[in-house]
């Protein structure tokens, strides 16, 4: 059992007595999707799945972020799929936040419990099922893999964050650290999935402005994030979707750790269109 805390959407609907005081925002450079928007009426389903529902947090959109999609999937007891992916170009990264799933990837079976991570290369046959009686909940990142002539495709990865030592950022005394699921020196990967952890009071002390698109799901805690020209308060369950070059920084106010699951695209030339 993981000792970490992972926020899990509960669905449902708010009462009619609730005031409309949400912080959802969509701008040309960033979006904030607060946890209160993840209700039953915005769930989706997919072909060839049973006993599932999902919330779509990000999808490719012309004029905005274009490289990836990000789902949160909930599987009932017995739920799963023998054909989860219908696009052979799509690679997958899964991170389990509740219950456990069993993956069969190219004939090899793996069980991922809370904190478990799985990377599935594009074009790989795989299946998935809920391994228990309680609902299983996981994040699913999808991206069209960008192959490079002369470079081998990446191998599958199976891991759990509790077994990976976070790497402190330089000169932060461990107050800002990153848990890496992919080897940053492995050029076969064209995306990275990490968990970023800030201790109370830690900061990103400059406005990051870079080409990588981001999806950031807050797993635990709260902070204030500077996005473009705006300060935005975020907490566990909120999602931030950042376009390339959107300026960004944050301050973790406490009282506990601030942790988020992060997507970014890496290691490839910029395409000409």
């Amino acid at each position: 059992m993981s000792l970490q805390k992972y926020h899990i959407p509960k669905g449902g609907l708010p009462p009619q007595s609730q005031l409309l005081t949400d912080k959802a925002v969509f701008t040309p450079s960033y979006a904030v999707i607060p946890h209160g928007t993840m209700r039953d009426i915005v769930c989706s389903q997919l072909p060839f799945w049973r006993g599932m529902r999902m919330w779509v947090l990000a999808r490719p959109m012309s004029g905005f972020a274009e490289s990836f999609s990000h789902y949160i999937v909930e599987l009932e007891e017995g739920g799963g799929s023998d054909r989860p992916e219908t696009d052979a170009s799509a690679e997958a990264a899964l991170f389990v936040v509740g219950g456990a799933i069993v993956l069969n990837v190219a004939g090899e079976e793996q069980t991922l419990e809370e904190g478990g991570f799985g990377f599935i290369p594009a074009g790989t046959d795989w299946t998935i099922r809920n391994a228990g009686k309680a609902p299983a909940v996981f994040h699913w990142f999808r991206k069209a893999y960008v192959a490079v002539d002369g470079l081998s495709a990446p191998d599958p990865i199976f891991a759990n964050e509790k077994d990976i030592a976070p790497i402190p950022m330089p000169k932060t005394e461990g107050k800002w650290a990153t848990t890496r699921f992919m080897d940053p020196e492995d050029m076969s990967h064209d995306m990275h999935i990490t968990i970023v952890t800030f201790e109370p009071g830690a900061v990103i002390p400059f406005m990051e402005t870079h080409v990588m698109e981001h999806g950031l799901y807050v797993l635990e805690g709260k902070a204030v994030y500077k996005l473009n020209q705006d300060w935005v308060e975020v907490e566990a369950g909120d999602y931030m979707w950042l376009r390339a070059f959107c300026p960004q920084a944050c301050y973790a106010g406490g009282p506990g750790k601030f942790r988020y699951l992060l997507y970014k695209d890496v290691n490839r030339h910029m395409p000409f269109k």
Side-chain angles (χ1 to χ4, degrees):
M1 180 66 66
S2 172
L3 297 178
Q4 300 289 358
K5 299 177 181 178
Y6 305 117
H7 186 277
I8 298 174
K10 301 301 183 185
L13 288 172
Q16 291 288 294
S17 59
Q18 179 170 310
L19 294 176
L20 182 59
T21 55
D22 219 332
K23 58 179 183 286
V25 61
F26 191 95
T27 77
S29 56
Y30 73 87
V32 176
I33 305 174
H35 63 276
T37 67
M38 297 178 203
R39 302 296 186 174
D40 293 353
I41 62 173
V42 298
C43 288
S44 297
Q45 298 183 27
L46 291 173
F48 313 117
W49 285 74
R50 60 192 178 276
M52 75 89 75
R53 65 174 181 173
M54 69 179 188
W55 289 273
V56 178
L57 299 179
R59 53 155 292 177
M61 292 177 61
S62 296
F64 197 69
E66 297 183 349
S67 68
F68 74 109
S69 62
H70 182 176
Y71 311 148
I72 299 178
V73 179
E74 179 184 274
L75 290 181
E76 301 174 358
E77 179 184 358
S81 178
D82 296 326
R83 188 184 172 190
E85 181 56 72
T86 56
D87 187 339
S89 72
E91 57 190 335
L94 311 180
F95 182 74
V96 180
V97 292
I101 58 175
V102 175
L103 297 175
N104 187 301
V105 179
E108 180 181 350
E109 191 166 277
Q110 298 283 342
T111 298
L112 300 182
E113 300 178 338
E114 290 182 24
F117 175 83
F119 171 76
I120 304 167
T124 303
D125 290 330
W126 60 288
T127 66
I128 183 172
R129 61 183 171 87
N130 183 346
K133 296 186 178 299
V137 184
F138 61 93
H139 291 255
W140 181 5
F141 298 90
R142 297 173 67 247
K143 182 182 183 301
Y145 182 63
V146 180
V148 176
D149 185 32
L151 192 65
S152 299
D155 295 323
I157 299 172
F158 304 102
N160 194 295
E161 76 144 320
K162 66 180 172 46
D163 301 320
I164 303 173
I167 300 173
M169 296 293 284
K171 299 181 180 180
T172 65
E173 299 177 345
K175 295 179 181 179
W176 172 12
T178 301
T179 302
R180 302 184 184 278
F181 294 111
M182 286 91 162
D183 179 357
E185 301 301 319
D186 185 350
M187 292 293 106
S188 68
H189 287 288
D190 65 351
M191 70 171 175
H192 284 169
I193 307 297
T194 62
I195 293 176
V196 180
T197 301
F198 290 92
E199 298 293 337
V203 300
I204 298 178
F206 67 103
M207 293 298 291
E208 291 189 37
T209 308
H210 51 65
V211 71
M212 286 87 79
E213 296 177 352
H214 276 343
L216 300 89
Y217 181 86
V218 182
L219 296 169
E220 178 183 355
K222 58 184 180 180
V224 288
Y225 237 90
K226 184 71 177 290
L227 299 173
N228 205 358
Q229 299 176 338
D230 307 317
W231 282 102
V232 179
E233 292 182 310
V234 293
E235 61 183 341
D238 292 347
Y239 188 69
M240 291 170 281
W241 188 15
L242 278 58
R243 190 177 185 179
F245 298 109
C246 175
Q248 60 196 271
C250 88
Y251 172 77
K257 293 180 179 180
F258 175 61
R259 308 176 70 238
Y260 56 78
L261 184 65
L262 172 69
Y263 162 90
K264 62 180 177 181
D265 50 317
V266 296
N267 298 341
R268 293 296 183 267
H269 278 296
M270 303 300 103
F272 297 117
K273 293 184 179 180

